[in-house]
Amino acid sequence: MDYTKLGNSDLNVSRICMGCMGFGDAQNGQHSWTLDETHSREIIRLGLELGINFFDTAIGYQSGTSEQYVGRALRDFARRDRVVVATKFLPRTNEEIQAGISGQEHIRRMLDKSLQNLGMDYVDLYICHMWDHQTPLFDIMEGLNNAVKAGKARYIGISNCFAWQLAKANALAEREGFAKFISVQGHYNLIFREEEREMAPYCREENIAMTPYSALAGGRLCRHPGETSKRLQEDSYARLKYGASQDQDAPILARVAELADRKGVSMTEVSLAWLLTKVTAPVVGATKPHHIEGAAKAVELELTKEECA
């Protein structure tokens, strides 16, 4: 496993980040295909053995049970100072807004609940899960800065935003002396490349780490045509993202399969090796041992410029 600094921070992270959306109580959340705690622990332990030290979860994953599974596994299998733990918080609810709960108070409550779920005193990276259109940006950035000052979060990141929003937030933070976003977790993979238009150049300029989610397009970039899985069958969220473009995506998937066959590796390795030439650390979900093994192998796979085109 290779390691690198996460943007403008002193966090040393593995080039593969283990995405933990696939862990959690399947009866208690958005997804029906998630792993129970026993099988989640097996994947987490294997990831650690393969050198992965970067783990990404969220309070919104299966009603917090993902955080609980991850926290207990890391407590049993790793030293806290040897792993980098990221979690995410959701925007204020309408009920909170009506009750007069400020953005700062919302962040404090969300982080305290995540720390309770994880069984940790701090997270290394606290991520704004999506842009909050109903809360003043100053309130968000001051609330996150308070979390950093309190020692509950070492650094902050953002997910699901446009480049102009990230630039606006960090400009405000710089003006006010607040902590700035050091990473962005956007939607980016071989069949969805919108981040290359503005986000990627901006992040290069500012040394902001890109840690994209859906690195394998919900499993589409690691399976030959006709192959399926429980997630492919039941993940309505992924179908929403990719269903309408499946005909356009087919030639790309065929090319990945061709390169994988030619090199004697998996489609996972080819897809992630391509992405690793573009970003700091893709967030890779895994629900079977070979998923995370393939992700780790991708770090060692070299593609030519022509193969990356």
Side-chain angles (χ1 to χ4, degrees), residues 120-140:
M120 296 177 180
D121 297 325
Y122 68 93
V123 290
D124 300 280
L125 182 65
Y126 197 43
I127 301 171
C128 180
H129 208 147
M130 59 193 67
W131 194 261
D132 188 340
H133 293 277
Q134 300 188 85
T135 303
L137 180 59
F138 187 97
D139 215 19
I140 298 288

Side-chain angles (χ1 to χ4, degrees), residues 169-183:
N170 272 358
L172 185 155
E174 184 166 356
R175 184 179 72 237
E176 300 295 333
F178 293 162
K180 296 166 70 173
F181 292 128
I182 64 155
S183 67

Side-chain angles (χ1 to χ4, degrees), residues 134-299:
Q134 300 188 85
T135 303
L137 180 59
F138 187 97
D139 215 19
I140 298 288
M141 299 308 293
E142 186 167 27
L144 288 169
N145 189 64
N146 289 341
V148 173
K149 288 198 303 182
K152 294 180 180 180
R154 295 180 65 190
Y155 297 95
I156 60 170
I158 192 167
S159 180
N160 294 303
C161 70
F162 295 110
W164 70 264
Q165 292 172 320
L166 174 54
K168 179 179 179 179
N170 272 358
L172 185 155
E174 184 166 356
R175 184 179 72 237
E176 300 295 333
F178 293 162
K180 296 166 70 173
F181 292 128
I182 64 155
S183 67
V184 60
Q185 188 178 128
H187 181 197
Y188 184 27
N189 56 51
L190 254 173
I191 59 176
F192 189 86
R193 299 176 63 172
E194 178 61 29
E195 294 288 76
E196 293 176 359
R197 194 183 306 275
E198 292 188 351
M199 185 63 81
Y202 175 69
C203 289
R204 281 196 299 270
E205 181 72 17
E206 298 295 322
N207 192 30
I208 295 170
M210 293 180 69
T211 62
Y213 67 85
S214 207
L216 293 170
R220 285 154 182 78
L221 282 163
C222 59
R223 289 184 177 82
H224 289 79
E227 292 181 343
T228 189
S229 69
K230 182 177 175 65
R231 180 176 181 180
L232 283 177
Q233 293 169 349
E234 299 183 9
D235 192 343
S236 58
Y237 180 55
R239 283 199 300 274
L240 180 67
K241 288 192 292 186
Y242 304 113
S245 62
Q246 59 184 359
D247 291 341
Q248 299 157 255
D249 298 338
I252 300 172
L253 300 182
R255 174 63 170 160
V256 173
E258 175 196 341
L259 283 174
D261 290 344
R262 184 196 307 169
K263 293 176 175 292
V265 299
S266 66
M267 290 177 65
T268 293
E269 290 168 70
V270 172
S271 298
L272 291 179
W274 176 87
L275 193 54
L276 282 161
T277 67
K278 314 288 185 181
V279 306
T280 302
V283 177
V284 184
T287 54
K288 291 183 173 61
H290 72 267
H291 294 165
I292 203 62
E293 289 169 343
K297 289 178 182 177
V299 177

